[in-house]
Structures are given as structure tokens and as C-alpha cells.
Amino acid sequence: MEDCIFCKIIEGEIPSHKVYEDENVIAFLDTNPTSKGHTLVVPKEHVENIHEASGMDYIWDPIVKVSNAVKDAFNPEGININQNNGEVAGQEVMHMHFHVTPRYTGDEIEIEYNREELENGDEVAEKISEKID
Ligand code: AMP
Ligand code: ZN
């Protein structure tokens, strides 16, 4: 995909700090890490977001492998795996990717969710489940 920075990394047109690669997946360090070891796991096929990612189950093992490697390398107390879809969700690079973000006590990462009590759970669950094939 032209003008996609991650496609260019995959093609070797621009450099990255690669930590893992297989036939379908590449993982490299985030250039603006939120914590030490922050790594991105990226399918080589250009898809924009999760809605186009059906069948890409091969991405899961590399996520686990990278998470284990980051844990062994830096011994974080925890790890966040996150994946943003759409600008409103914080997606900046429109080539789907998973963040493996090690978490350390005292790190200054803030993830805030305004949680409310679930209302109309039956109706909401049904609306979703009827859309699943
Ligand atoms: P997102 O906001 O979920 O789309 O995340 C995009 C991430 O890609 C950000 O954390 C950026 O720091 C990171 N990023 C952008 N350009 C590069 C690059 N050339 N190499 C590595 N990471 C990058
Ligand atoms: Zn791409």
C-alpha cells in the first residue's frame, strides 16, 4: 500500500528496530514508546483495522511470543495489549497493529475509562449477538 509507513517498514524501504518476523507478521519497536520495550506487532498484509482482519488468526502467536520476550527482557510487572480502530479510538497509523506495552510500577501511563453501571443488558447483548453469524 503506497504511503503506508508500516508497509514501507515491511518492504524494508524504511528502517525499524525489528524484534520478530515470520511469513505473515513483523514486530518492531515503537519509535515513540510509552514504556521501555513498547513493541508493535503488525500483519504484513495491509488491512486498515479489525473489521478487515477476519482470518488473520496467525497474528495471535506472535503477540504471545513478543509479550513473553518483553517480559523476559525487562521483567515488567504487567503488559497491556491494545489495538486502536479509527481516529476516535486513537488510531494514527491506518495499518492494523497491536501494541505490546510493558507496564512498570510507577510508570506514568494513564488509561482512564469512565465506567457506568450496565443498563438494558439483555437488549444490548441481543443487538450484538444477532449480528454475529
Ligand atoms: P496507533 O495510534 O495505535 O495508530 O499507533 C501508531 C503507533 O505507531 C504510535 O505509537 C507511533 O509512535 C508508532 N509509529 C509511527 N511511526 C512509526 C515508525 N516509523 N516506526 C515505529 N513506530 C512508529
Ligand atoms: Zn500498510
Side-chain angles (χ1 to χ4, degrees):
M1 181 82 158
E2 251 174 76
D3 291 334
C4 170
I5 195 148
F6 286 178
C7 282
K8 287 183 178 154
I9 289 174
I10 290 158
E11 293 302 320
E13 290 169 22
I14 61 170
S16 70
H17 291 95
K18 188 167 74 181
V19 302
Y20 175 80
E21 183 169 16
D22 66 26
E23 195 188 340
N24 298 308
V25 176
I26 189 169
F28 48 84
L29 298 184
D30 195 297
T31 43
N32 292 91
T34 50
S35 68
K36 190 173 188 182
H38 181 178
T39 303
L40 303 174
V41 182
V42 184
K44 289 184 176 176
E45 184 183 338
H46 180 100
V47 295
E48 184 168 321
N49 57 41
I50 196 79
H51 308 297
E52 299 174 4
S54 179
M56 286 186 157
D57 6 347
Y58 54 73
I59 195 102
W60 181 248
D61 271 1
I63 292 170
V64 174
K65 274 187 216 280
V66 168
S67 299
N68 287 338
V70 164
K71 185 165 167 39
D72 288 348
F74 298 119
N75 201 26
E77 285 91 352
I79 291 179
N80 288 117
I81 306 295
N82 74 298
Q83 191 270 316
N84 302 323
N85 298 285
E87 276 177 39
V88 73
Q91 186 176 8
E92 288 173 6
V93 175
M94 297 299 163
H95 180 136
M96 190 186 76
H97 53 279
F98 289 80
H99 294 258
V100 175
T101 307
R103 300 300 307 271
Y104 306 93
T105 301
D107 67 31
E108 288 180 359
I109 298 172
E110 282 178 30
I111 301 172
E112 272 191 46
Y113 295 103
N114 272 334
R115 292 192 187 277
E116 294 169 2
E117 202 67 35
L118 175 64
E119 281 175 19
N120 306 318
D122 289 349
E123 193 188 318
V124 174
E126 195 185 333
K127 277 199 159 158
I128 298 168
S129 62
E130 71 188 13
K131 295 287 185 192
I132 296 177
D133 305 328

